[in-house]
Amino acid sequence: MSFSEIIAYGRYLPETLLKNEDLKKFVDTSDEWIFSRTGIKQRHIAEKKELTSHLAIKASEDAFNSFKIEPKEIDCIIIATTTPDNTFPSTASKVQNYFKISNIPSFDIQAVCSGFIYGIQIADAFIKSGKYKKILLVGAETLSKIIDWKDRRTCVLFGDGAGSLIISSSRKKNGILASKIYSDGEWIDSLYADGGPSLNQKVGKIRMVGQDIFKHAVKKLSESTEQALTQCDLSVKDINWFIPHQANQRIILSTAKKLGISEEKTISTVKFHANTSAASIPLAMASAHKSGKLKKNDILALCAIGGGLTWGSCILRV
Ligand code: UT7
């Protein structure tokens, strides 16, 4: 029996920083409102010519170089993104072309902010089935390109970035211990882009009824984390690090509190990165790894919620 071990972490953030004060140039807002309601102080913004695939490539290179892994060892590429370079081909195909690793599968998955948790479950199932042995899984977004910079309810919330994991087949009983993913299409109108190839041949801008998402977030994130813990016979007290989707500090801390997890065990990067959708969890994981927080055999609990609604959780041992 194979298990799915995390053998590398990578991340990339575009150079340009947009601070809360800078947003006053676009909309009627304040640092005080943004920070007190969301915990966000700044976000990174990609250049016009910097595409989601470029961010994904840089986060992958960081994982390859930091953990001395050759791109040619990879036998499957999965990119979670809501902001692909093109309608097609997939952003994963572009990443594959850059690294010149042909004749392996590469594809994008779209589950908005839950995309990385969906990707983890897919990668884990591929590895456990014996189909692939070393999967590059990336969450990458350039949300700044689909923001309506005149809408203060959304434009202050999002940022750009990418995070990556390399997940390898292992004989040791570690890595991904459990994962749960869910969706409820009843809430499609609460968070969406008002464009698409079939709808109106435009890309569209982000539209969100923030309170609808807020209402569901704490309950769904905590319940799915409990369900994933049950699936692998662990309990909340076994968790060393809680790494939730980074959308709002109030949601992060309320979910941790509901689960009975202390703030000290909760990883939060929302202050510096804002909401980077599918990139937020791998970015937070790579940041925690780089800062030396993650120790061998630590148990991590991940969870995310996003448009759809989609949500899910994952428990893993690093
Ligand atoms: O990643 C996908 C998952 N997404 C999320 O998890 C987002 C979940 N939702 C949220 O995080 C919160 O609902 C928001 C941060 C989006 C909004 O916070 P809120 O406490 O729910 O505020 P609200 O929408 O109830 O707005 C309160 C007031 C409104 O004014 P009135 O109508 O009471 O006069 C808004 O117009 O705040 C106003 N407002 C702002 N004021 C200054 C909304 N945005 C801003 C702004 N600056 N940027």
Side-chain angles (χ1 to χ4, degrees):
M1 168 87 183
S2 310
F3 296 93
S4 309
E5 188 182 10
I6 312 298
I7 58 163
Y9 307 79
R11 64 170 197 170
Y12 176 73
L13 290 155
E15 265 173 43
T16 304
L17 265 186
L18 188 66
K19 301 199 179 231
N20 288 352
E21 288 79 14
D22 304 327
L23 283 159
K24 286 191 241 167
K25 290 177 212 152
F26 309 104
V27 283
D28 178 16
T29 191
S30 64
D31 175 48
E32 198 280 326
W33 191 96
I34 300 169
F35 187 63
S36 64
R37 300 275 178 147
T38 69
I40 298 167
K41 275 280 180 192
Q42 62 175 44
R43 69 285 293 141
H44 292 252
I45 303 288
E47 299 296 323
K48 200 160 186 237
K49 286 190 177 159
E50 202 173 21
L51 309 185
T52 296
S53 63
H54 301 150
L55 273 56
I57 287 164
K58 287 198 164 131
S60 306
E61 277 176 332
D62 186 31
F64 288 137
N65 296 338
S66 308
F67 291 82
K68 308 215 174 335
I69 294 165
E70 291 292 327
K72 65 175 186 308
E73 294 175 44
I74 299 297
D75 57 6
C76 177
I77 300 174
I78 306 173
I79 312 271
T81 186
T82 311
T83 46
D85 293 8
N86 299 69
T87 303
F88 73 89
S90 71
T91 303
S93 293
K94 291 187 157 188
V95 172
Q96 176 180 27
N97 184 44
Y98 176 85
F99 288 113
K100 301 281 172 248
I101 26 180
S102 45
N103 297 321
I104 61 161
S106 74
F107 60 94
D108 291 358
I109 50 169
Q110 161 58 302
V112 204
C113 301
S114 312
F116 202 77
I117 301 286
Y118 272 59
I120 282 184
Q121 185 169 103
I122 293 166
D124 185 39
F126 275 166
I127 285 175
K128 287 193 172 131
S129 73
K131 283 240 181 272
Y132 306 110
K133 291 197 165 8
K134 217 167 263 180
I135 298 178
L136 173 65
L137 173 63
V138 185
E141 302 281 13
T142 50
L143 292 160
S144 64
K145 301 187 188 212
I146 60 163
I147 282 171
D148 177 352
W149 290 101
K150 293 193 186 80
D151 177 10
R152 70 174 182 173
R153 291 165 305 166
T154 53
C155 77
V156 304
L157 304 175
F158 299 97
D160 301 336
S164 67
L165 294 182
I166 298 173
I167 306 176
S168 173
S169 160
S170 165
R171 297 230 162 265
K172 290 174 270 169
K173 192 171 188 263
N174 55 6
I176 299 161
L177 304 176
S179 62
K180 290 278 189 186
I181 53 174
Y182 302 93
S183 180
D184 184 350
E186 191 186 338
W187 302 96
I188 46 174
D189 296 329
S190 298
L191 178 51
Y192 62 99
D194 59 2
S198 184
L199 179 71
N200 56 10
Q201 301 78 57
K202 292 181 180 150
V203 177
K205 302 287 183 201
I206 297 174
R207 306 294 171 208
M208 178 166 78
V209 187
Q211 289 194 343
D212 278 1
I213 315 288
F214 205 110
K215 204 168 62 190
H216 289 283
V218 177
K219 187 169 184 287
K220 288 187 160 47
L221 292 173
S222 55
E223 280 177 5
S224 63
T225 303
E226 277 164 355
Q227 282 150 0
L229 281 167
T230 305
Q231 194 183 37
C232 58
D233 290 325
L234 292 177
S235 72
V236 166
K237 66 175 170 23
D238 296 308
I239 296 171
N240 299 99
W241 296 107
F242 179 50
I243 312 187
H245 172 47
Q246 307 286 315
N248 185 320
Q249 184 71 353
R250 285 152 63 208
I251 296 175
I252 292 171
L253 292 184
S254 302
T255 307
K257 192 171 171 200
K258 190 149 198 275
L259 282 164
I261 299 170
S262 67
E263 196 171 340
E264 290 69 43
K265 289 186 175 182
T266 302
I267 305 285
S268 178
T269 54
V270 69
K271 182 174 178 184
F272 309 105
H273 302 164
N275 181 349
T276 57
S277 193
S280 96
I281 288 180
L283 257 176
M285 289 175 83
S287 302
H289 185 271
K290 276 191 201 301
S291 69
K293 281 186 175 157
L294 307 188
K295 301 275 181 289
K296 192 137 191 63
N297 289 322
D298 274 358
I299 300 282
L300 271 48
L302 321 174
C303 58
I305 186 164
L309 289 175
T310 56
W311 68 99
S313 294
C314 169
I315 309 297
L316 52 96
R317 184 185 286 120
V318 294

